Amino acid sequence: MSRARGADVALAALAALVVTLPLSDLFTPTAAWARPCIVLVLAVALSGIGLRALTSVRPLVVAGQALVLVEAAALLHGQGHLAGGLLPTLDTARAFGVLFGEAYQTVTQYSAPAPADRGTTLAISVFVGLTALAVDAIAVTYRSPALAGLPLLTAFLAAATNTTAGLAAWMIVPPALVWLAMVGRQGVGSLRAWGGTVEVGSARPADPAGSFATVARSVGVLALATAVVLPGLVPHLPPTFLADGLARGDGGTGTGGSVRLSTSVDIARDLAERSADPVLVYRTTADDPEPLRVALLDTYRRGRWLSSSDATFVPVDGQLPGSSAGPEVTRTTERIEVTRSGIGLPQVALPANAIGAPFPAGSWRLDGNGVVELTAPAPSYTVDYEALTPTAAQFAGVAADLAVQDDLRVDPDAQEALAALLQRVTEAGQTPLQKAVAIQAHLRSSAYTYSEDLVDETAAGRRPEEPLVRFLETRRGYCVQFATAMIMLAREAGIPARMAVGFLPGRLDGDERVIRADDAHAWPELYFPQLGWMRFEPTPGVRSGVAPVYSSEQSAPEGSALPVPTSAPSASSSTPTRPRGDVTIDTPQGPRGTSTSTGVLRAVAQHWPTVLGVLGVLLVLALTPLGAWLARRRAQRRARDDAERVEAQWQSLLLRLGDIGLVPGDGATPRQASRELARAAYLTPDEGAALGRVVDTLERARYARPGADLPDVAPDADAVWRAALGRRRRSARVRALFLPEEGRRHWRSMLGRPGRTDAEPGRDEDASVR
Amino acid sequence: MSDLQHDPHASTDPTRGASLDQVLQVSSSLAGAMSSVIEGKQQVVRTAITVLLAEGHLLVEDVPGVGKTLLAKTLARCIDASVRRVQFTPDLLPSDITGVSVFNQDVRDFEFRPGAIFANVVVGDEINRASPKTQSALLESMEEGQVTVDGTTYVLPRPFMVMATQNPIEMEGTYPLPEAQRDRFMARISMGYPSARSELDMLELHGGVSPLEALQPVTDAATVQAMVEAVRTVHASPSVRQYIVDLTHATRSSAALRLGASPRATLHLLRASRAHAALAGRDHVLPDDVQQVALPVLAHRLIPTGETQMARRTTGDVLADLLQRVRVPAPTR
């Protein structure tokens, strides 16, 4: 190996370029930033070659490359800020600082794909250049290509983690292949270096790297295959999975997979495709069941709902608190009996005013909003709750509790729009209940459209930044937007409000109700001092909840609002074509318990890149054996007589035995070859007899008068080959099965390239030395 | 060679099968009979029969007392044919071998009196003791199967085989065979010392009456001649012929040899290979047959260079190397 090490340098540069592939999803147009990247990588690689030729002091080489990188970046991006048009100065540094600042702005402001302006182009190319420098220094200058995987992985992950939609599984393949090639080259090279001279008296020069290379190749191929196949088989983990803690994420509930509602709701997001798998099965005594609540979100910031409370406590009496309404409020106690819950820890679906102690002590606690968190799985439970039937008078009063002051906070960006809207919808002097009902009626009116796909632009072509304002202007959205709007309008009107996330009551199936994953829903809860938190339902549409009686009764006198539907969809509201709930759910996409063909088809459809990859790998694996088969068939077809057919079968047998390391001596007669093979392959007498029959037929084909009786030797030849194969090591067997020389020769001859031997395939064994 | 003896896949070509079967049968009984006298020397016996079937002449070369003459006599006795034994001495005259024309008083004319050569099997004992002049008297007869005396040519009976013995150690009073003479022998074999076991058996066997005396002929001259004819029909494919030519060419171009094999050697090699194949019951020659007979057929015709002799390598060693090196040609049809 010379000090220049051209191939190593090329591989290192290629690796640095290949890991930037994921960036093409992040910045457009790709061409704008790709060119400077290539230039910087080339600068690093070429300067490395030159410097290594000049000096063997490694730190000097790396320092020199860094200087070249800086100079190249300055020439590329710092025009106008260079001394003499060539050398970078402090001014260049300042200019770069500004550009980096712009890049930061772009990255933080835009969602992918971001425009590739001057700042991002500089940042990306410097990032790629530094990666190239690190890889080149580690892999080539310090000759540790394995370690070069670290900067490569860093660069790859930096790009991969910033994609919103996730990276295609195959994206890891090119960098991994290039890295493996680097590692492989170094390994083979170093092994050859110390083993290359020892070959005294051996007929064929032993390649010392051979056995190691075989192992290394197997490990590499296996690792690569695993890296491709595994991500396809393992379900995609929710982004919050690690933060939530692995132990808590492992629900272990009775149903196939567990479902959890996202505890942060992004109101700017379109609804993703969701499954219709059952989540919860329960019986209830109520005629008109309430939605089941899973979480409460009270803080809205930049279009996202979060729960502000992270404190938890266990009530002293060990009982659920129930409603905070006074005893004067009429109530009935209802019961739900959950027979199967597929909701993942720590979430649990409960009616709003649950009472009693449905879970064993120590397996649950309450968070600051009074939402139950489980610490142990509860696949089935029975819980009582209070259904309030308040009178209109009981809604009176102004909330003055300090505890609910936070629930009056209105998003400042949307305040202006909210205030204007509120003024249109409500009238001064209305009671809080009247205001709330008016807001609900407004949102359920035909002015709003239920849609799972959000639009960015208003009819007037404006693009409001704040998602809530955008909703108020585009008037398209699903439950999250409707609930958010009602909450904010209520808060603007002085009524504390928060968002509840949970499930609609589901469908009746016999005497049981079944909640499916797409029954997920969000609704507002408004606070009234005498009653506590009361549910409202501003979302129109089929899959919306039933509006509470108290809110619909009040709506009758309001002439401006449309009648609120109770259980049937409103005629005025636009009906979504695909009815479904509308809160984001993290559903593990693992294999389900169903083993029907549709399940398989769905799995294939969901994991098509993996399936394609696996099929591709299988195809590649089958290619050479297929070539061997084709070669045999071709030889059989081309044989003009029995003698040529037998000859072809013999050559095929020799090649196949050669695959497992059984090669008869050069220029041996068939008889000698058969003796050598029988000895080397440890053939039993029976198998030896089979080989004897093959050889005898071959001898007659070759040396007897033409027209001799020549039986088909293929069965005997196959028997010999199988017997010999069975006594070799597994690695040799695998190689013989997947990479038969016969197949390789076939493809080589197909490609028009001459094989290793000068003679035509099958004749080399007998070529004379003359 | 022993693995070829009982070839289980012997071809049975219906057109010549009878003949070849007969060859197999007679030769094995011949070998059996000879082995009952010559203890533990199957290889030698087999080569002798091969040479007989290939119409060649055999040179048995070894130290005294290992049974050279016994071998020759045994083969001769096993065949019911005319056998002559000539003890070569320095004063032996050519006419003693070929025959001489004497004046017959009764008919008043010269009359040819055949010499020792006029027999189916001629055993020439200690052939290197005779003068070159006498040795060369054998030349024409061995090569052409005829004798010319006083301008008249006399055809020798068929089959005709000369088995000569010679002692390589004793130099005093011997005349080494000239190259031309050696080349006329199809094969040279060495007896070699018997194994301890065979020697013990020999003591038992030869202690009383000589087994040679009890030996009965197992075949006759006509049968042998038929067998020879049958052997001529054994098929040698072009690639086998090519192999034979490759081998003899290799001896000529070998740096270790001063004199390579003659074209006659090529011919002898083919004939011996045919006989060898026939002895295995096959109707076609394999390269293996050629390899088996190459050493006895070629070794005695080659003359090593000085360097080879200095390196104490025999022509047999050189031949073994060549057999390794020369590749079997691809089958051509």
Side-chain angles (χ1 to χ4, degrees):
Chain A
M1 254 193 275
S2 75
R3 257 200 272 165
R5 299 202 285 279
D8 291 345
V9 173
L11 279 177
L14 185 64
L17 284 176
V18 158
V19 288
T20 60
L21 274 180
L23 285 175
S24 55
D25 283 347
L26 295 181
F27 299 97
T28 52
T30 307
W33 57 265
R35 213 170 300 128
C37 286
I38 293 172
V39 170
L40 287 192
V41 169
L42 281 181
V44 168
L46 294 177
S47 62
I49 292 178
L51 287 165
R52 274 188 294 271
L54 290 176
T55 173
S56 58
V57 185
R58 290 161 167 181
L60 267 184
V61 174
V62 179
Q65 280 177 293
L67 282 179
V68 170
L69 177 63
V70 169
E71 172 64 25
L75 284 176
L76 273 179
H77 303 287
Q79 290 300 341
H81 301 275
L82 300 176
L86 281 178
L87 290 176
T89 58
L90 268 182
D91 183 35
T92 321
R94 271 194 294 275
F96 274 25
V98 173
L99 285 176
F100 277 124
E102 283 177 15
Y104 178 78
Q105 288 285 328
T106 307
V107 169
T108 47
Q109 277 179 4
Y110 285 88
S111 63
D117 52 19
R118 277 189 74 196
T120 43
T121 304
L122 170 70
I124 296 169
S125 59
V126 168
F127 169 70
V128 173
L130 285 175
T131 308
L133 176 60
V135 173
D136 191 83
I138 296 175
V140 188
T141 310
Y142 284 90
R143 299 195 188 192
S144 309
L147 277 182
L150 291 178
L152 286 175
L153 188 66
T154 311
F156 183 78
L157 287 182
T161 49
N162 283 302
T163 57
T164 45
L167 212 56
W170 64 266
M171 285 285 220
I172 189 70
V173 174
L177 278 181
V178 177
W179 178 70
L180 282 178
M182 288 200 296
V183 175
R185 262 190 62 79
Q186 191 231 12
V188 171
S190 62
L191 280 171
R192 285 221 172 99
W194 52 258
T197 53
V198 201
E199 44 181 86
V200 181
S202 74
R204 67 175 63 182
D207 184 354
S211 61
F212 292 100
T214 310
V215 175
R217 267 195 293 273
S218 334
V219 171
V221 167
L222 204 67
L224 198 61
T226 316
V228 172
V229 172
L230 205 62
L233 299 181
V234 172
H236 181 66
L237 303 179
T240 53
F241 201 92
L242 290 173
D244 282 355
L246 288 168
R248 292 166 73 192
D250 184 13
T253 48
T255 54
S258 67
V259 162
R260 290 192 312 151
L261 290 183
S262 175
T263 50
S264 74
V265 173
D266 184 348
I267 80 164
R269 225 173 120 180
D270 289 342
L271 274 183
E273 184 77 30
R274 284 198 314 259
S275 82
D277 295 319
V279 172
L280 200 91
V281 180
Y282 70 101
R283 283 192 205 91
T284 177
T285 55
D287 298 329
D288 197 8
E290 287 185 24
L292 299 183
R293 198 171 66 189
V294 169
L296 285 171
L297 310 172
D298 51 11
T299 307
Y300 178 81
R301 195 178 296 133
R302 287 172 179 264
R304 277 183 162 271
W305 280 99
L306 299 163
S307 173
S308 67
S309 103
D310 48 6
T312 59
F313 65 99
V314 179
V316 185
D317 57 358
Q319 301 278 318
L320 290 171
S323 170
S324 61
E328 70 283 1
V329 181
T330 327
R331 64 190 73 190
T332 54
T333 302
E334 306 281 1
R335 165 171 291 195
I336 66 165
E337 201 177 320
V338 176
T339 53
R340 215 169 68 219
S341 165
I343 298 176
L345 285 181
Q347 296 179 340
V348 61
L350 290 175
N353 293 322
I355 55 172
F359 308 108
S363 70
W364 65 280
R365 60 195 178 198
L366 296 176
D367 77 356
N369 287 327
V371 174
V372 175
E373 283 184 6
L374 290 185
T375 53
S380 64
Y381 50 88
T382 304
V383 61
D384 295 335
Y385 69 95
E386 296 171 319
L388 302 182
T389 44
T391 62
Q394 284 163 343
F395 282 93
V398 176
D401 301 3
L402 276 177
V404 296
Q405 289 307 307
D406 280 352
D407 297 318
L408 281 169
R409 195 181 294 147
V410 178
D411 191 61
D413 293 340
Q415 190 152 24
E416 202 179 317
L418 288 169
L421 181 60
L422 188 68
Q423 202 163 6
R424 282 216 329 267
V425 172
T426 62
E427 293 159 24
Q430 280 184 320
T431 65
L433 176 61
Q434 284 170 329
K435 284 182 183 171
V437 170
I439 293 168
Q440 176 179 280
H442 172 71
L443 289 170
R444 292 189 81 131
S445 73
S446 60
Y448 290 83
T449 308
Y450 183 96
S451 166
E452 285 149 11
D453 303 313
L454 302 181
V455 286
D456 291 343
E457 283 189 355
T458 62
R462 297 205 300 126
R463 290 174 61 108
E465 277 301 308
E466 159 53 51
L468 180 56
V469 179
R470 201 186 308 158
F471 168 72
L472 292 176
E473 295 197 9
T474 61
R475 302 199 164 183
R476 281 174 75 91
Y478 47 94
C479 67
V480 171
Q481 284 78 27
F482 284 98
T484 307
M486 174 142 189
I487 292 163
M488 286 303 160
L489 287 167
R491 287 180 176 186
E492 182 66 24
I495 311 168
R498 65 186 183 184
M499 180 181 269
V501 178
F503 292 97
L504 292 171
R507 258 188 215 172
L508 205 55
D509 180 17
D511 62 338
E512 288 188 327
R513 281 186 168 269
V514 178
I515 293 177
R516 303 184 309 177
D518 57 8
D519 284 326
H521 190 51
W523 62 91
E525 287 187 355
L526 273 56
Y527 185 81
F528 299 93
Q530 293 179 45
L531 296 169
W533 292 99
M534 298 301 289
R535 178 173 72 89
F536 283 78
E537 188 50 85
T539 310
V542 172
R543 276 289 180 186
S544 172
V546 179
V549 180
Y550 46 80
S551 63
S552 53
E553 276 172 352
Q554 287 295 319
S555 69
E558 292 290 327
S560 63
L562 288 162
V564 170
T566 49
S567 58
S570 160
S572 58
S573 65
S574 83
T575 310
T577 47
R578 282 177 303 164
R580 58 160 79 138
D582 38 12
V583 167
T584 312
I585 282 190
D586 304 326
T587 310
Q589 296 291 319
R592 316 246 162 221
T594 54
S595 61
T596 56
S597 61
T598 53
V600 173
L601 282 179
R602 195 166 50 192
V604 168
Q606 277 170 358
H607 305 297
W608 65 267
T610 311
V611 173
L612 273 186
V614 170
L615 285 180
V617 169
L618 287 180
L619 192 69
V620 168
L621 285 180
L623 207 58
T624 329
L626 181 74
W629 183 75
L630 288 175
R632 277 199 289 276
R633 281 215 24 203
R634 187 173 66 172
Q636 294 294 309
R637 226 180 22 247
R638 287 191 179 175
R640 277 165 302 184
D641 53 19
D642 279 354
E644 287 189 0
R645 173 179 52 77
V646 171
E647 186 69 38
Q649 283 166 341
W650 170 250
Q651 295 301 342
S652 162
L653 177 65
L654 280 184
L655 281 177
R656 282 186 284 166
L657 290 173
D659 284 334
I660 50 175
L662 299 174
V663 182
D666 224 14
T669 66
R671 215 166 260 243
Q672 290 164 341
S674 80
R675 272 199 296 272
E676 286 176 35
L677 291 174
R679 199 167 49 238
Y682 304 105
L683 295 184
T684 63
D686 277 354
E687 293 150 6
L691 182 58
R693 284 193 291 277
V694 175
V695 167
D696 177 60
T697 312
L698 173 75
E699 280 175 344
R700 267 181 285 145
R702 278 190 183 177
Y703 303 116
R705 279 190 185 79
D709 170 39
L710 299 171
D712 185 18
V713 297
D716 278 334
D718 286 344
V720 169
W721 184 66
R722 272 196 302 275
L725 190 69
R727 296 191 179 90
R728 306 306 281 186
R729 286 187 307 149
R730 180 170 303 155
S731 56
R733 289 212 296 268
V734 170
R735 196 172 54 237
L737 283 176
F738 289 116
L739 284 177
E741 173 67 22
E742 215 176 356
R744 283 183 276 168
R745 282 195 190 177
H746 178 74
W747 294 125
R748 271 203 295 268
S749 70
M750 284 276 132
L751 292 171
R753 256 195 309 141
R756 272 184 299 143
T757 49
D758 47 352
E760 103 183 58
R763 289 285 164 88
D764 60 321
E765 188 238 357
D766 288 331
S768 171
V769 288
R770 280 166 297 145
Chain B
M1 203 183 280
S2 57
D3 62 314
L4 293 179
Q5 193 156 8
H6 304 291
D7 196 324
H9 314 297
S11 177
T12 48
D13 193 337
T15 55
R16 314 168 197 277
S19 255
L20 280 175
D21 280 349
Q22 197 187 5
V23 171
L24 192 61
Q25 187 194 338
V26 172
S27 58
S28 57
S29 58
L30 198 58
M34 286 177 72
S35 296
S36 69
V37 178
I38 320 272
E39 292 293 321
K41 290 288 173 200
Q42 269 91 0
Q43 186 70 32
V44 171
V45 168
R46 199 171 173 76
T47 311
I49 297 174
T50 306
V51 172
L52 171 70
L53 295 186
E55 302 173 89
H57 307 289
L58 186 66
L59 181 62
V60 189
E61 183 179 278
D62 217 324
V63 291
V66 291
K68 299 186 293 289
T69 313
L70 183 66
L71 173 77
K73 281 164 72 184
T74 307
L75 180 58
R77 184 166 278 246
C78 283
I79 304 167
D80 185 13
S82 56
V83 177
R84 288 285 180 81
R85 186 173 182 280
V86 185
Q87 186 68 44
F88 280 65
T89 53
D91 58 350
L92 191 73
L93 293 174
S95 55
D96 294 337
I97 293 173
T98 57
V100 64
S101 294
V102 294
F103 189 74
N104 189 331
Q105 295 272 358
D106 296 341
V107 296
R108 292 180 168 265
D109 198 1
F110 282 95
E111 184 185 69
F112 182 67
R113 303 196 65 171
I117 199 79
F118 284 85
N120 291 116
V121 178
V122 179
V123 180
D125 219 1
E126 310 244 25
I127 190 171
N128 54 346
R129 286 196 177 275
S131 64
K133 185 178 162 194
T134 310
Q135 286 170 358
S136 54
L138 279 170
L139 284 177
E140 186 192 4
S141 56
M142 282 173 71
E143 179 61 23
E144 290 155 35
Q146 62 185 28
V147 171
T148 305
V149 178
D150 294 342
T152 313
T153 299
Y154 305 93
V155 177
L156 295 174
R158 296 278 167 173
F160 174 66
M161 181 187 189
V162 173
M163 280 193 287
T165 72
Q166 72 169 348
N167 183 344
I169 300 298
E170 208 173 338
M171 291 301 171
E172 196 75 18
T174 61
Y175 304 90
L177 283 180
E179 277 81 46
Q181 185 73 46
R182 276 211 303 268
D183 201 35
R184 280 172 166 76
F185 285 100
M186 176 176 275
R188 178 191 68 178
I189 52 176
S190 292
M191 295 296 289
Y193 290 112
S195 66
R197 171 89 196 204
S198 302
E199 208 158 357
L200 208 61
D201 289 349
M202 183 196 78
L203 286 184
E204 183 127 344
L205 204 60
H206 292 250
V209 64
S210 167
L212 196 59
E213 299 300 320
L215 200 61
Q216 293 298 317
V218 294
T219 182
D220 54 22
T223 312
V224 170
Q225 187 56 31
M227 284 160 70
V228 166
E229 300 291 338
V231 163
R232 280 193 195 138
T233 66
V234 170
H235 176 71
S237 71
S239 60
V240 168
R241 293 165 198 238
Q242 180 69 54
Y243 183 50
I244 290 170
V245 171
D246 288 348
L247 270 179
T248 47
H249 273 247
T251 63
R252 288 169 208 164
S253 58
S254 169
L257 297 174
R258 189 151 62 86
L259 181 68
S262 62
R264 183 177 14 230
T266 314
L267 208 58
H268 280 178
L269 191 54
L270 176 61
R271 271 154 54 183
S273 301
R274 277 187 168 139
H276 193 270
L279 282 182
R282 237 180 297 110
D283 70 345
H284 54 271
V285 182
L286 298 183
D288 304 80
D289 293 318
V290 180
Q291 292 179 354
Q292 298 277 355
V293 297
L295 199 65
V297 171
L298 294 182
H300 64 286
R301 303 167 204 254
L302 309 176
I303 300 179
T305 59
E307 286 86 348
T308 310
Q309 282 176 313
M310 294 287 280
R312 292 178 179 271
R313 292 179 74 209
T314 65
T315 52
D317 298 336
V318 175
L319 256 183
D321 277 0
L322 290 179
L323 283 174
Q324 289 276 322
R325 261 191 29 226
V326 178
R327 302 178 60 149
V328 182
T332 49
R333 284 174 172 279

